[in-house]
Amino acid sequence: MFRYAISLTLLVCMPLWLQAQQSTYFNHTEFGASFGGTKAYETFNPRLNFSFESFNGVTIHPKHAVGMSIGYDRYPGVDLVPISFGWRGFRDRGGRINIFAASNIGYASAALMKREKTDLVEQWHEGGLMYSASIGIRKKARNNNHAFTWSIGYKRQQAYYFQSYLDPFFMGFSSFRLPPGASSIVEEALTFNSLTLKWGFQF
């Protein structure tokens, strides 16, 4: 799925990159907290997690910038690295304080998660689709070369947890989803819906 997500992102970005050859480089780096909850056995537990994102792109219009983002999000039991196509929009009325909006769509990788294997069980995580949107305030520095931002937003990330049971003597039918030597596999879909509060800077 990761290869398909990257291919689709490149296909969408290519016309914008070609249009933006004469445009200005733009960076927006943010970090902060994501708020949500986890539900297990009918019990809802609130969570507070760390979130980081760095957007690197070009301004294709005085009010619009497009590019690619990479980040890091920590959730209960899983660390994800989202890689996405992003947009930033600005409502600049000439003052130092203005409104901006942001959105990203892409894939959250679970590459940081360690694959564990014993004689009987093998378990690992895989990433999934990611979407986020936010709105905030940007305050320009006096020299107008950079700006500080404060934002509130929503982020949805998917991930998957797999646990396979190993049996070296298993002679039954093996599908492409089963690792070598596995007789069965359990898949759990994880969905993280979060409210985000972030501080950052743009230049």
Side-chain angles (χ1 to χ4, degrees):
M1 182 181 291
F2 178 72
R3 293 194 300 268
Y4 298 126
I6 292 297
S7 299
L8 180 60
T9 301
L10 291 177
L11 184 63
V12 172
C13 290
M14 188 61 67
L16 297 173
W17 284 339
L18 292 175
Q19 179 183 351
Q21 290 298 310
Q22 303 300 321
S23 300
T24 306
Y25 171 76
F26 178 84
N27 175 274
H28 186 197
T29 299
E30 294 180 287
F31 60 89
S34 63
F35 304 84
T38 57
K39 186 176 181 180
Y41 304 106
E42 303 303 323
T43 301
F44 184 84
N45 299 310
R47 59 174 174 81
L48 172 62
N49 304 113
F50 175 76
S51 180
F52 167 83
E53 180 181 74
S54 181
F55 171 90
N56 296 276
V58 291
T59 55
I60 58 174
H61 183 273
K63 295 184 179 181
H64 301 280
V66 295
M68 299 295 297
S69 293
I70 186 169
Y72 169 76
D73 288 292
R74 181 162 197 148
Y75 297 104
V78 59
D79 297 335
L80 297 176
V81 179
I83 303 171
S84 60
F85 169 73
W87 164 83
R88 299 294 183 272
F90 319 101
R91 185 174 177 82
D92 193 340
R93 295 183 175 181
R96 291 183 59 196
I97 299 178
N98 296 279
I99 297 174
F100 80 94
S103 65
N104 291 281
I105 184 169
Y107 179 87
S109 170
L112 297 179
M113 299 301 296
K114 184 178 179 181
R115 194 179 184 111
E116 298 181 353
K117 184 177 182 180
T118 65
D119 293 338
L120 300 177
V121 177
E122 184 175 15
Q123 52 189 0
W124 69 96
H125 288 83
E126 292 183 5
L129 295 178
M130 183 278 298
Y131 169 77
S132 67
S134 62
I135 188 170
I137 296 174
R138 63 194 301 254
K139 181 179 181 181
K140 296 180 181 179
R142 294 188 182 278
N143 57 14
N144 278 343
N145 290 331
H146 63 278
F148 298 100
T149 65
W150 296 265
S151 67
I152 182 171
Y154 166 77
K155 175 175 281 189
R156 177 183 176 89
Q157 287 195 342
Q158 294 178 322
Y160 300 89
Y161 169 75
F162 296 92
Q163 182 169 283
S164 64
Y165 297 91
L166 306 178
D167 184 356
F169 303 103
F170 177 69
M171 300 299 293
F173 175 76
S174 179
S175 70
F176 71 97
R177 297 284 304 214
L178 291 177
S183 60
S184 62
I185 189 171
V186 175
E187 176 182 344
E188 181 181 358
L190 308 173
T191 302
F192 300 100
N193 294 290
S194 304
L195 172 71
T196 62
L197 295 176
K198 293 185 178 181
W199 174 86
F201 55 89
Q202 299 175 346
F203 63 86

